[in-house]
Amino acid sequence: MGFRTIRGTRDILPDESYEWEFVENQIRAWFRRFNYREIQTPAFEETTLFARGIGQLTDIVSKEMYTFEDRGGTSLTLKPEMTASVIRAFIQHHLGSSAPLTKLFYISPMFRQERPQAGRLRQFHQFGAEALGSAHPEIDAEVILLATSIYASFGLEKTVLKLTSVGCEKCRPGYKKILQEALRSVVDRLTADSQRRVDENPMRVLDSKEPQDRAATANVPLVKDHLCPECSDHFRELQSLLTKTGVAFEIDGRLVRGLDYYTKTAFELVSGDLGSQDALAGGGRYDLLAQELGGSPAPGIGFAAGIERLLVVLEKRSLFRGEAPHATVFVATLNGEAREDAFRLLQELRQSGISAEMDFHRRSLKAQMREAGRQRADAVVLLGGDEWKTGLVALRDMRNGEQRQIPKEELADSLLRMIG
Ligand code: HAM
């Protein structure tokens, strides 16, 4: 057996790459409509950026990062998510100094050493957006609408939007104590994993999918019911904006995102078509992250979404509208004499903007026509017949079989007209 892809990574083969192109084009169009501008960041960063940004105690930082030392002894990590990198770039390039609101989007591979399963890869792709500079709920609502609009435009109107508020540095510490007390009173009924989290990261206990944990914590207090007045107003105003714009949502007080930077708004878009890894997208507000990463205070909110998971759902529901690309015109020759002219014509067609192909195996006309059919060419240009010597070429419309002869110099125009 030769070389194979690493576990949890995938090749995107030509037969599926057009689906990626279709999905990415549509996503980009939505980002443009909402006036977000693209940012690209390197595949790896200093390890501390993610450790500090995402949080030491999160699963991502404690177990899932691809971390390595470079030859100079610097600890580097392949980006497991984009938010920390985007904020790093925002601070480094003073992006906040030229506009009151900085709206950025990205489409990029991410790396997490998770246990691979359906919908969970070690190299996966996210599209996402981050809006930096406003603390008001209008921008929370915009970011959520951006995400839901994208899914709706693919025909996925029925994704469920789960929404909550996780509080801020004023109300969360008090809530954590209340939660810890409640969890300690049921600690014997929790799984070992959750028992460990009671002291370290009690809110993660609420996120456990284990039925045993679910049952034990059914009645513990939730942070959304312990918000300070500021967080509570923010949450209420956001809900009102969403309701006004017709966005359906479910309040889910047990929603705990796997990253520590969130304040106030947190949300997830889930799909019933995905099994246990049901999150299509997740996001929230992170008003303290810029400061945490060494910048001036800058409130922010964003979301990220898994492209592979979107593709799975689109496929399951047969919602692809893209078409596999193919060469429009096939240049065929009747004999070897015409081959050089065919080669030159091929280049001329391509230069006039027409996707063109020819036979590179010096095969018979019959075999060339079969190849043109296999490639689903819309038209075949035939060189080498009697008419060819008088400056004409034979043009066959492969969709209806009609063949006519036209002057060579009119070929590009005729083809463009023919294929629309
Ligand atoms: P996240 O929830 O960790 O959030 O990831 C967002 C989405 O990426 C998930 O909902 C899922 O669709 C996809 N995803 C995550 N891990 C995998 C994986 N191993 N395989 C396949 N897909 C995966 C974030 O990354 C935050 N940065 C989102 C954010 C942006 N919050 C604020 N701004």
Side-chain angles (χ1 to χ4, degrees):
M1 201 60 140
F3 296 114
R4 303 188 60 87
T5 45
I6 303 294
R7 203 162 105 87
T9 70
R10 289 183 46 208
D11 297 314
I12 301 165
L13 299 174
D15 275 347
E16 33 180 0
S17 69
Y18 80 91
E19 298 175 346
W20 281 74
E21 195 180 326
F22 161 72
V23 161
E24 283 192 21
N25 287 344
Q26 192 153 316
I27 291 167
R28 272 172 205 280
W30 277 104
F31 285 136
R32 301 253 147 81
R33 264 186 231 181
F34 276 71
N35 198 27
Y36 283 67
R37 297 194 302 154
E38 183 161 10
I39 183 162
Q40 300 190 26
T41 64
F44 51 86
E45 304 256 7
E46 266 179 65
T47 301
T48 354
L49 170 69
F50 300 118
R52 232 202 280 158
I54 301 168
Q56 290 285 2
L57 297 176
T58 58
D59 284 353
I60 297 180
V61 172
S62 64
K63 320 187 220 182
E64 297 168 1
M65 295 208 299
Y66 280 101
T67 297
F68 57 97
E69 245 181 46
D70 72 2
R71 286 166 198 273
T74 310
S75 179
L76 302 174
T77 293
L78 298 182
K79 59 184 169 190
E81 61 113 43
M82 269 296 272
T83 312
S85 300
V86 170
I87 309 305
R88 194 259 316 128
F90 175 82
I91 298 168
Q92 181 179 340
H93 306 288
H94 310 288
L95 297 183
S97 64
S98 52
L101 187 62
T102 307
K103 305 208 292 185
L104 304 166
F105 83 84
Y106 45 83
I107 300 180
S108 172
M110 307 290 156
F111 309 87
R112 296 184 193 175
Q113 193 161 5
E114 298 190 76
R115 198 168 46 78
Q117 62 180 81
R120 200 155 77 185
L121 291 152
R122 290 183 165 175
Q123 173 171 342
F124 59 99
H125 297 75
Q126 283 186 342
F127 62 91
E130 313 290 346
L132 288 141
S134 169
H136 295 296
E138 286 78 9
I139 194 68
D140 302 41
E142 176 178 277
V143 164
I144 290 173
L145 271 161
L146 171 55
T148 56
S149 303
I150 291 174
Y151 287 100
S153 75
F154 284 110
L156 300 172
E157 282 92 359
K158 291 213 181 64
T159 53
V160 177
L161 169 62
K162 292 187 175 176
L163 182 68
T164 195
S165 173
V166 296
C168 66
E169 77 280 18
K170 281 180 237 134
C171 44
R172 202 156 39 195
Y175 164 71
K176 264 195 185 161
K177 285 209 185 87
I178 296 171
L179 176 63
Q180 265 167 337
E181 239 164 70
L183 291 175
R184 282 190 190 118
S185 71
V186 296
V187 74
D188 302 340
R189 291 160 55 201
L190 297 174
T191 58
D193 265 353
S194 287
Q195 285 181 356
R196 229 175 303 122
R197 288 189 171 131
V198 172
D199 292 320
E200 279 190 344
N201 204 351
M203 286 171 78
R204 287 307 306 267
V205 177
L206 302 180
D207 190 32
S208 166
K209 299 244 166 22
E210 296 296 326
Q212 190 185 332
D213 292 326
R214 288 262 155 179
T217 61
N219 297 313
V220 299
L222 301 173
V223 60
K224 73 175 176 62
D225 302 316
H226 292 263
L227 300 175
C228 62
E230 187 189 315
C231 287
S232 167
D233 285 349
H234 188 96
F235 192 32
R236 188 173 33 76
E237 288 172 35
L238 170 60
Q239 291 175 58
S240 166
L241 283 163
L242 292 176
T243 308
K244 270 244 161 68
T245 24
V247 181
F249 56 88
E250 276 175 20
I251 305 250
D252 180 356
R254 303 179 74 94
L255 178 66
V256 180
R257 307 264 307 120
L259 307 99
D260 280 353
Y261 46 61
Y262 293 112
T263 50
K264 295 189 175 129
T265 311
F267 63 94
E268 261 177 22
L269 276 162
V270 300
S271 161
D273 290 331
L274 280 174
S276 70
Q277 299 303 312
D278 64 353
L280 280 169
R285 182 166 273 287
Y286 44 83
D287 290 344
L288 305 174
L289 185 56
Q291 264 169 292
E292 185 62 38
L293 296 179
S296 341
I301 175 149
F303 82 93
I307 298 184
E308 285 84 355
R309 290 188 192 178
L310 169 60
L311 290 169
V312 166
V313 179
L314 291 180
E315 200 127 304
K316 256 196 185 150
R317 302 228 195 141
S318 314
L319 285 171
F320 271 116
R321 275 160 291 160
E323 199 196 327
H326 59 274
T328 316
V329 180
F330 198 91
V331 180
T333 49
L334 271 163
N335 47 47
E337 237 178 291
R339 206 174 289 128
E340 280 190 359
D341 277 1
F343 193 74
R344 197 182 61 207
L345 176 63
L346 185 70
Q347 178 63 3
E348 283 167 12
L349 289 173
R350 288 169 174 173
Q351 268 167 336
S352 356
I354 296 168
S355 153
E357 186 55 286
M358 69 177 272
D359 174 51
F360 286 91
H361 291 86
R362 300 192 169 186
R363 285 180 290 191
S364 69
L365 179 63
K366 198 168 153 209
Q368 291 176 63
M369 293 308 286
R370 218 181 307 120
E371 183 59 21
R374 195 189 66 80
Q375 296 203 20
R376 294 187 297 116
D378 295 321
V380 171
V381 179
L382 251 173
L383 300 194
D386 293 338
E387 77 287 344
W388 173 58
K389 301 209 169 69
T390 63
L392 296 173
V393 288
L395 174 62
R396 180 182 297 190
D397 188 330
M398 293 292 274
R399 293 164 303 183
N400 55 23
E402 269 170 32
Q403 186 160 324
R404 61 205 162 96
Q405 298 190 346
I406 50 171
K408 234 192 94 190
E409 48 286 356
E410 287 171 25
L411 180 61
D413 282 343
S414 300
L415 278 169
L416 284 170
R417 256 199 314 280
M418 184 171 139
I419 59 187

